[in-house]
Amino acid sequence: MSIADWIVLGLTLLGIVLYGVWKSGQSQNIDQYLMGGRTLRWYHVGLSVMATQASAITFLSAPGQAYSDGMRFVQFYLGLPLAMIVLCVTFVPIFHRLKVYTAYEYLEQRFDLKTRALTSFLFLIQRGLSTGITIYAPSIILSTILNINTVYTTLFIGGLVIFYTVYGGTKAVSYTQLLQMSIIFLGMFFAGVMVVHLLPGGVGFSHAIKLAGKLGRMNVIDWKFDPNNRYNIWSGVIGGFFLQLSYFGTDQSQVGRYLTGSSVGQSRLGLIMNGLVKIPMQFLILLIGVLVFAFYQFNRPPMFFNQYEVKQVKKSSYAAQYNQLESQYTAVFEQRKNKADDLIKAFDSKDQTQISKAQDALKIADAQSTAIRKQAIAVMKKNNDKANEDDTNYVFLTFVTQYLPRGLIGLLVAIIFLASMGSTASALNSLASTTVVDIYKRILHPGASDKNYLNASRLATVFWGLVCIGMALYASKVGNLLEYVNKLGSYIYGTILGVFVVAFYLKKIGGNAIFFAAIITELLIIILGNYELVAYLWLNAIGCILVIIISADLYRRTINPIVSDKNYILASRLATVFLGLACVLMALYAGKGGNLLAYLNKLGSHIYGVILGAFVVAFLLKKIRGNAVFIAAIISELLVIILGILGVVAYLWLNMIGCILMIIIAAIINPLIPSKEQEVV
């Protein structure tokens, strides 16, 4: 970047932070710090809600997603408007009437403390992990521009956001987001105009769209129903509806945004604004990616966009092989460029036969280019088997830094930084509020002063900031960031949404039934997601429906628990059939697991440690009660499964970790649980 770009970037970031700190003032109590005094107008709420969701991942990864996979990702958002309507009718008035700080406070009033604690815990896991990924996105930019390791840039970005979030609380977050979204809309508009302007002479906007469409990038709507297809109209409307309803209705990072509204009406208008603006905004961002794809049909793109990985292979013994592939790639690009020119001429002639021939020729050239690129990736993997082969996060960044004029580069880089800062600050604020209100204030230290809770909120913000920075350092291994964040949320949002649906509409179901239903459902969802039995968007709908069905069944059975021996025999036979079918399905999947012996041991390592911990507690820690052991086992198992999925440690270590977690968590929880619970099912 030029000096002008650095000046624009620095002044924009500094101005945003100082503006937020100035407007927020000094919080005097926990209500001001976490809720901003509940004084914001609808447009402020709407932009804050949008900024929380539109992280740097949206502006960095979405164009890359469209570049490689086309426009079909926009279907992900089709369930959003309907979700906003449901939220406005149900969630918003209930939360405002109860004057809650977090969504999970309501669950204790409706069910019990353990249900509130469970949903808070699930939220903290999901939001803590995904926030780390949003911090990593702008770190990619700085590391690319400065040519330094992402560790240092991650620490800088995380530290900057922690500073103004800790100082100003939710008002600092909201005011910075208001200004951020205004700059973001302006900058992305200029980016779109510049892509079209940089197209070669004789190639206009309509030409670029038609060309991209002929190569499969204008696949906006897919009507075919396929549960394994991640993005089609059905997964978007149904699965997307459940995901958006759960995200905006039960994720504290969003609930905290619209609870800052001065009234129910202001919060509702803010959400409606989000529902109306979000889809067009996302469509245009993806369209920029499609235009960049068309641009690179006439201008040679890098064979691999992540230049860090390219530099590593060029320093290795595979450099000659990689350079040879680059030469082939350049030659094939020239052929592809000529075929693209032929297709543009065919469009102008309006001769369908000529268009079809030119399209087929361009597809052949494009396939040759893709084949060489795959060979190059294979060479990179030979050099380093841990090399990240997904470079979609670098596509838009490469275009911006290489082709846009001075000053505008700095502005667009600033936009990606601002988006990350806004969503990360909201997440840290929500993590702090959930930790303090649902755990510290309710369980660990009830009855303390406002000053004590305010200080605890600031400390919690710092703690979660450090946790998220730690996750950000891992994020380079996850592929496309936008897709990974949504996939991560789909593991948890459906379960939490199901709990809230039961709370709102099935009034007879009590705390025990919903608590156990949520645990069973979450374990099933993790299994479905880990084995990829369905596309991840469907996990939201499946999770919600499972919670409702299982809790209703548990309620029915506990109301009439007296069952005859004959029924038990029948139940045993049905259970045998069910488990037999489950084993058959697992056998059909087993071919994908690699070495069967290693896979079997890996599977056992996810469970045996927690079971061992339960027996250790039973044998040696006599004072720990059953409820504490039960809850500790659930928490430990979820953590072990997450560690296993992320591959943080070798699987054999999961046995020891599960056992130790089980003992420690049971010892911590035991004093918090009364010896006899008097709960209504």
Side-chain angles (χ1 to χ4, degrees):
M1 293 202 311
S2 66
I3 295 176
D5 292 315
W6 280 110
I7 292 173
V8 171
L9 173 61
L11 289 178
T12 304
L13 294 182
L14 182 63
I16 287 288
V17 172
L18 293 178
Y19 175 77
V21 171
W22 170 62
K23 291 292 289 184
S24 65
Q26 184 67 40
S27 299
Q28 301 297 322
N29 55 53
I30 190 174
D31 186 71
Q32 290 179 2
Y33 188 77
L34 297 180
M35 293 288 108
R38 306 177 199 261
T39 58
L40 302 184
R41 301 284 295 172
W42 65 270
Y43 56 87
H44 205 151
V45 172
L47 289 173
S48 185
V49 165
M50 290 176 64
T52 297
Q53 188 180 30
S55 67
I57 295 170
T58 302
F59 303 100
L60 193 64
S61 295
Q65 178 81 9
Y67 180 94
S68 62
D69 194 41
M71 292 287 293
R72 69 190 188 118
F73 185 76
V74 77
Q75 296 169 111
F76 171 85
Y77 295 95
L78 295 181
L80 179 63
L82 182 58
M84 294 301 98
I85 293 171
V86 174
L87 283 174
C88 290
V89 173
T90 54
F91 288 61
V92 174
I94 291 174
F95 289 155
H96 264 279
R97 185 175 69 250
L98 296 174
K99 296 287 183 183
V100 295
Y101 289 102
T102 74
Y104 318 112
E105 285 182 83
Y106 167 73
L107 294 179
E108 182 180 3
Q109 299 177 34
R110 171 64 179 84
F111 296 121
D112 51 33
L113 178 57
K114 66 177 181 288
T115 303
R116 174 182 178 179
L118 175 64
T119 51
S120 300
F121 174 74
L122 290 174
F123 164 74
L124 290 172
I125 290 177
Q126 191 279 330
R127 184 48 53 196
L129 294 176
S130 60
T131 302
I133 298 172
T134 64
I135 292 175
Y136 176 70
S139 300
I140 293 174
I141 302 170
L142 265 187
S143 66
T144 302
I145 294 170
L146 300 177
N147 196 27
I148 59 175
N149 196 297
T150 54
V151 171
Y152 305 113
T153 55
T154 298
L155 293 173
F156 170 74
I157 297 296
L160 185 64
V161 177
I162 289 172
F163 163 71
Y164 79 80
T165 308
V166 167
Y167 179 82
T170 198
K171 261 197 173 181
V173 174
S174 294
Y175 276 107
T176 53
Q177 286 176 332
L178 180 66
L179 194 54
Q180 284 165 6
M181 287 306 294
S182 304
I183 297 172
I184 284 169
F185 283 139
L186 183 65
M188 294 307 288
F189 170 77
F190 280 124
V193 170
M194 286 304 302
V195 179
V196 177
H197 175 72
L198 290 171
L199 289 169
V203 181
F205 175 79
S206 61
H207 288 119
I209 296 299
K210 288 178 182 178
L211 185 147
K214 294 299 182 183
L215 291 175
R217 296 307 190 275
M218 290 303 295
N219 49 345
V220 180
I221 299 294
D222 181 359
W223 290 95
K224 184 179 178 181
F225 180 81
D226 181 1
N228 293 313
N229 184 359
R230 292 180 179 180
Y231 308 116
N232 55 43
I233 190 76
W234 309 107
S235 65
V237 172
I238 300 172
F241 165 75
F242 281 94
L243 174 59
Q244 305 293 352
L245 186 61
S246 183
Y247 173 56
F248 288 97
T250 69
D251 189 309
Q252 183 58 30
S253 65
Q254 284 293 2
V255 174
R257 296 302 95 211
Y258 58 76
L259 285 183
T260 58
S262 58
S263 66
V264 172
Q266 295 296 312
S267 295
R268 281 173 167 168
L269 285 172
L271 287 175
I272 293 296
M273 172 187 171
N274 176 60
L276 293 175
V277 176
K278 179 63 179 178
I279 296 177
M281 183 186 86
Q282 196 65 43
F283 180 89
L284 293 174
I285 292 171
L286 289 167
L287 189 63
I288 289 174
V290 170
L291 291 172
V292 170
F293 172 81
F295 171 84
Y296 276 125
Q297 301 306 305
F298 305 97
N299 298 271
R300 185 191 181 282
M303 187 164 63
F304 195 74
F305 283 93
N306 185 347
Q307 291 304 300
Y308 175 80
E309 299 291 357
V310 172
K311 288 175 183 176
Q312 297 306 307
V313 75
K314 286 190 173 183
K315 293 177 184 176
S316 71
S317 58
Y318 295 95
Q321 189 177 349
Y322 190 88
N323 289 333
Q324 184 180 3
L325 287 171
E326 277 203 320
S327 299
Q328 295 176 22
Y329 187 80
T330 301
V332 170
F333 165 74
E334 292 300 328
Q335 297 175 21
R336 190 179 71 179
K337 179 182 177 183
N338 293 332
K339 302 303 180 186
D341 288 330
D342 292 342
L343 184 56
I344 297 299
K345 293 174 183 176
F347 287 146
D348 291 335
S349 71
K350 299 182 181 179
D351 185 333
Q352 290 302 319
T353 303
Q354 189 177 345
I355 290 173
S356 296
K357 288 181 179 179
Q359 178 186 354
D360 293 339
L362 180 57
K363 282 185 175 180
I364 292 171
D366 188 61
Q368 292 173 343
S369 178
T370 302
I372 295 172
R373 175 180 148 85
K374 287 181 178 178
Q375 292 178 47
I377 293 173
V379 171
M380 284 194 302
K381 296 295 283 185
K382 283 182 183 178
N383 177 53
N384 177 14
D385 61 354
K386 295 182 180 179
N388 184 5
E389 59 186 80
D390 189 331
D391 62 345
T392 54
N393 299 316
Y394 295 84
V395 172
F396 186 57
L397 176 61
T398 300
F399 169 78
V400 166
T401 54
Q402 290 184 358
Y403 291 100
L404 293 191
R406 294 178 180 179
L408 188 56
I409 295 175
L411 179 62
L412 285 171
V413 171
I415 282 171
I416 299 173
F417 272 90
L418 294 176
S420 174
M421 290 163 60
S423 58
T424 303
S426 288
L428 292 182
N429 187 255
S430 66
L431 288 165
S433 61
T434 301
T435 302
V436 172
V437 174
D438 293 316
I439 296 175
Y440 180 77
K441 183 180 179 182
R442 178 63 185 86
I443 299 174
L444 300 179
H445 201 177
S449 64
D450 272 350
K451 185 177 180 181
N452 182 285
Y453 292 137
L454 180 61
N455 291 333
S457 299
R458 290 197 166 107
L459 288 174
T461 304
V462 174
F463 168 77
W464 281 110
L466 296 175
V467 170
C468 293
I469 289 173
M471 180 58 195
L473 298 176
Y474 169 83
S476 61
K477 302 177 182 179
V478 303
N480 186 277
L481 300 178
L482 180 62
E483 194 169 63
Y484 192 78
V485 166
N486 292 319
K487 187 175 181 179
L488 196 62
S490 296
Y491 277 78
I492 290 176
Y493 283 143
T495 301
I496 298 178
L497 177 61
V499 173
F500 276 91
V501 169
V502 172
F504 291 152
Y505 299 113
L506 302 176
K507 300 295 185 182
K508 290 185 178 181
I509 295 178
N512 285 338
I514 195 65
F515 180 75
F516 294 124
I519 292 165
I520 294 168
T521 297
E522 191 56 40
L523 291 173
L524 291 173
I525 289 296
I526 289 173
I527 292 169
L528 286 174
N530 191 37
Y531 293 122
E532 297 183 349
L533 299 179
V534 295
Y536 72 84
L537 272 179
W538 290 103
L539 296 178
N540 299 281
I542 293 170
C544 180
I545 293 168
L546 279 176
V547 168
I548 296 170
I549 293 173
I550 294 172
S551 64
D553 185 65
L554 289 174
Y555 167 75
R556 181 179 62 81
R557 292 178 185 279
T558 49
I559 290 298
N560 184 23
I562 301 173
V563 184
S564 67
D565 283 345
K566 185 177 180 180
N567 281 347
Y568 285 131
I569 293 170
L570 177 61
S572 299
R573 287 172 176 162
L574 290 173
T576 303
V577 172
F578 169 76
L579 291 171
L581 292 173
C583 291
V584 170
L585 289 173
M586 187 60 200
L588 295 174
Y589 174 83
K592 303 177 182 179
N595 183 278
L596 296 180
L597 180 60
Y599 190 76
L600 194 62
N601 290 325
K602 186 176 181 180
L603 200 61
S605 297
H606 283 76
I607 296 173
Y608 288 143
V610 176
I611 296 175
L612 175 62
F615 276 93
V616 169
V617 172
F619 293 153
L620 303 178
L621 303 175
K622 303 291 187 182
K623 292 184 179 181
I624 294 181
R625 292 183 290 274
N627 285 338
V629 174
F630 179 74
I631 295 172
I634 293 161
I635 296 172
S636 300
E637 188 57 42
L638 287 173
L639 291 173
V640 167
I641 289 172
I642 290 168
L643 288 174
I645 291 172
L646 296 177
V648 176
V649 294
Y651 71 82
L652 281 177
W653 288 102
L654 297 177
N655 298 280
M656 183 187 75
I657 292 171
C659 180
I660 294 172
L661 280 175
M662 176 71 204
I663 296 168
I664 293 173
I665 295 172
I668 293 172
I669 290 176
N670 191 61
L672 306 176
I673 297 178
S675 57
K676 292 183 180 180
E677 290 185 307
Q678 301 295 327
E679 296 184 83
V680 179
V681 179

